[in-house]
Amino acid sequence: MNGKQPQRAQDSDREPAPHDSGSPGGTGTAGAEVLQALTASHPQRALTVDLMEQVCSPKNLLRAYRRVRSNKGAPGVDGMFVHQLADWLREHQEALIASLRDGTYQPQPVRGVEIPKPGGGKRQLGIPTVVDRLVQQAILQVLEPLLDPTFSESSFGFRPKRSAHDALRQARKYVSKGRHIVVDLDLEKFFDRVNHDILMSRLARRIGDKRLLRIVRCFLQAGLMQDGVCVAREEGTPQGGPLSPLLANLLLDDLDRELEQRGHCFCRYADDCNIYVWSLRAGQRVMASVVRFLEQTLRLRVNREKSAVAPVQERKFLGYRLLLNGKMGIAPKSLECAKDKIRQITRRHRGVSLAQVIVELNGFLKGWFQYYRLAAFRGDLQRMDAWIRRKLCCFRLKQRKRGKAIARFLQRLGVPADQAWRIASSGKGWWRLALSPPVKRAMSKEWFSQQELVPLLSRYDALHG
């Protein structure tokens, strides 16, 4: 015994081992030498020098076509729709296969589209052409069986037979064992900041087919067409193409391996990574060292405003809150995002029937509850149901428009005439009228049940018995 206290593995903040950041996917003598060196040092990689034949096989292309067709999606810069792909392939399939095999295939620019993010701001999407989506899907179907089995068991995003719920269950196990502090890492515009050279070096470690490496690099470097201007891209793998999630996991697998080597307990879902430690002090050390690794080795940028070291119940992970009692709740922001969607569906000036609004609501609420079914939030759902019914009451009253129509509608629902006319002639707004006792009695839970609105509470009780 030397008298020193053993250091806990999860608190380690040793410097990461250096990684290469070259570009074996490139051309030239240096690139060829690196490829030969990699082939010699990785025997398994030598078995992947003819992957393009697998990509171009009729069976693989047919499966890729069916997947692209089922995913539908918007057209790219060439304006071709998914339903036009079959006719295009009948005429150009042989030329497409030949260009893939000889390495001359050249992707078109992606169409840039910005969509609002739930937390504010914009997310940049890049929509490839339908033909490029077909090629990416065909490549994905060959690469994924080779790469995915090598990824970390703590990686859950965009992987076969893994889901956000699996990540949440794993995180709950860590918290239930006493790791009540989370190092919550937020990568700033991750998909827009992926370094092409570093990513290609990671891919070239495992793939020996130079034609495939060249085409993947071409997809990474394809320009971004927005507002009629094509902008060259030196970094990033824009969200919207089939290959992007796999390439993102390939790059971040270096982070996973580094965390495993240090003995950390963590869960990563795409670029959302949480590390669970014993204390705030340990968490601060881990945060500092992992930020260094991400920024110096992988050339990624950490958003320091959104990243934090904090008790788990104060942070959200995949829309949930992890609680110290082994349960999970729903994050307040997730509830507010759901309400925003409900507000859109129940807008009073939409010009659609109440029945149509209820159909849309049921569809949204079914999917929303299915995702958050792991949460213990019965009280939240009870309040949400009451709020939804009030929104629908406003919608129905507004549909009647005039006082006479409102009074007759309420009387048909059993409201005494004097009360119905008092409400109809009131100068109060729809939101206040929807809370009045006569309106609540008229459009009660039972009445909405007759209109086929499925309450969230009934879904929760049916699941939890």
Side-chain angles (χ1 to χ4, degrees):
M1 298 294 290
N2 58 10
K4 294 183 179 180
Q5 293 296 323
Q7 185 182 30
R8 283 177 171 169
Q10 70 275 3
D11 291 352
S12 171
D13 64 344
R14 61 176 180 75
E15 288 293 333
H19 292 268
D20 59 76
S21 58
S23 178
T27 58
T29 305
E33 291 176 353
V34 174
L35 282 172
Q36 293 172 0
L38 283 169
T39 302
S41 60
H42 297 276
Q44 187 65 33
R45 182 180 176 280
L47 303 177
T48 63
V49 295
D50 60 349
L51 290 185
M52 191 54 72
E53 278 64 37
Q54 298 180 38
V55 171
C56 297
S57 70
K59 183 177 180 181
N60 187 57
L61 286 175
L62 177 60
R63 189 156 67 97
Y65 165 75
R66 288 173 175 168
R67 184 60 182 267
V68 170
R69 185 182 61 184
S70 65
N71 288 342
K72 299 179 181 178
V77 295
D78 62 353
M80 182 190 294
F81 289 87
V82 172
H83 68 268
Q84 299 172 299
L85 181 58
D87 292 336
W88 187 93
L89 284 172
R90 291 189 189 98
E91 185 176 349
H92 300 97
Q93 180 172 337
E94 291 185 7
L96 172 65
I97 292 175
S99 66
L100 291 172
R101 283 179 171 167
D102 63 23
T104 61
Y105 181 83
Q106 187 63 46
Q108 296 190 60
V110 297
R111 182 166 68 88
V113 177
E114 289 186 338
I115 61 172
K117 296 172 67 174
K122 298 284 186 178
R123 175 178 283 116
Q124 179 71 61
L125 297 185
I127 302 176
T129 64
V130 175
V131 176
D132 285 343
R133 294 209 293 270
L134 172 75
V135 174
Q136 286 195 36
Q137 181 64 38
I139 293 173
L140 174 68
Q141 290 166 182
V142 172
L143 289 185
E144 191 171 62
L146 295 173
L147 300 181
D148 187 81
T150 69
F151 292 157
S152 168
E153 288 297 312
S154 296
S155 167
F156 297 90
F158 307 120
R159 298 185 60 189
K161 299 180 181 179
R162 285 172 170 258
S163 68
H165 288 169
D166 295 326
L168 288 160
R169 292 187 182 100
Q170 185 63 56
R172 181 170 58 184
K173 290 180 182 178
Y174 294 146
V175 174
S176 65
K177 292 179 180 178
R179 299 175 186 270
H180 295 163
I181 303 298
V182 62
V183 180
D184 187 357
L185 289 165
D186 183 271
L187 296 178
E188 184 177 322
K189 296 184 178 180
F190 166 70
F191 284 91
D192 298 333
R193 303 205 184 275
V194 169
N195 183 286
H196 291 172
D197 290 339
I198 294 178
L199 175 57
M200 289 306 302
S201 74
R202 273 48 176 177
L203 185 61
R205 287 174 182 173
R206 312 183 191 203
I207 302 301
D209 194 320
K210 298 178 185 180
R211 298 166 297 174
L212 186 55
L213 293 173
R214 179 193 174 278
I215 288 177
V216 171
R217 180 176 276 280
C218 287
F219 276 121
L220 292 174
Q221 294 178 334
L224 180 71
M225 181 73 74
Q226 197 160 19
D227 299 325
V229 179
C230 186
V231 180
R233 289 189 296 119
E234 301 298 330
E235 61 180 6
T237 170
Q239 299 178 72
L243 263 179
S244 292
L246 179 66
L247 296 178
N249 274 332
L250 176 63
L251 180 64
L252 290 175
D253 189 58
D254 275 21
L255 170 63
D256 299 340
R257 298 306 175 189
E258 186 68 21
L259 294 176
E260 288 176 346
Q261 188 176 351
R262 299 181 186 190
H264 291 307
C265 295
F266 69 98
C267 294
R268 183 178 64 78
Y269 192 93
D271 58 335
D272 196 350
C273 183
N274 278 6
I275 308 168
Y276 298 92
V277 298
W278 299 103
S279 67
L280 279 171
R281 186 176 177 183
Q284 290 163 357
R285 288 199 301 269
V286 170
M287 172 69 83
S289 60
V290 173
V291 166
R292 283 198 304 272
F293 175 81
L294 287 168
E295 296 188 341
Q296 296 177 9
T297 304
L298 298 184
R299 309 283 178 83
L300 298 172
R301 188 176 301 173
V302 176
N303 189 327
R304 287 167 170 77
E305 292 183 1
K306 294 184 178 180
S307 301
V309 178
V312 290
Q313 66 271 23
E314 295 179 7
R315 305 294 293 179
K316 67 181 181 70
F317 182 47
L318 302 177
Y320 281 75
R321 281 195 312 129
L322 296 172
L323 307 177
L324 300 185
N325 58 6
K327 295 182 179 181
M328 288 187 284
I330 185 170
K333 186 176 288 188
S334 301
L335 280 173
E336 195 54 43
C337 287
K339 286 188 173 183
D340 286 342
K341 179 63 176 179
I342 293 168
R343 289 186 183 102
Q344 294 178 19
I345 296 174
T346 59
R347 288 194 316 273
R348 300 169 207 164
H349 303 286
R350 289 190 61 198
V352 298
S353 67
L354 179 66
Q356 176 62 30
V357 169
I358 288 177
V359 167
E360 293 179 24
L361 266 180
N362 282 338
F364 166 71
L365 294 174
K366 179 180 179 181
W368 183 81
F369 176 78
Q370 185 68 15
Y371 179 77
Y372 288 103
R373 67 183 185 272
L374 299 183
F377 62 150
R378 193 176 190 279
D380 291 317
L381 296 184
Q382 193 169 17
R383 290 185 289 272
M384 178 84 84
D385 278 336
W387 182 79
I388 291 172
R389 289 193 296 271
R390 190 175 175 185
K391 294 287 291 182
L392 291 175
C393 284
C394 289
F395 184 91
R396 193 69 181 100
L397 290 174
K398 178 68 170 59
Q399 278 188 323
R400 309 313 296 172
K401 294 183 180 179
R402 301 182 183 278
K404 187 175 182 179
I406 293 174
R408 288 179 175 176
F409 169 69
L410 292 176
Q411 287 180 73
R412 285 200 303 270
L413 296 182
V415 177
D418 60 331
Q419 295 182 18
W421 279 103
R422 191 179 304 121
I423 290 171
S425 59
S426 171
K428 297 177 181 178
W430 304 114
W431 187 245
R432 289 188 65 186
L433 289 177
L435 197 60
S436 63
V439 171
K440 291 179 67 176
R441 286 196 300 270
M443 289 183 276
S444 61
K445 295 180 184 179
E446 292 73 20
W447 184 81
F448 278 114
S449 179
Q450 294 171 7
Q451 311 309 309
E452 300 185 353
L453 176 67
V454 181
L456 287 166
L457 200 60
S458 68
R459 300 180 192 272
Y460 184 88
D461 290 340
L463 180 65
H464 294 276

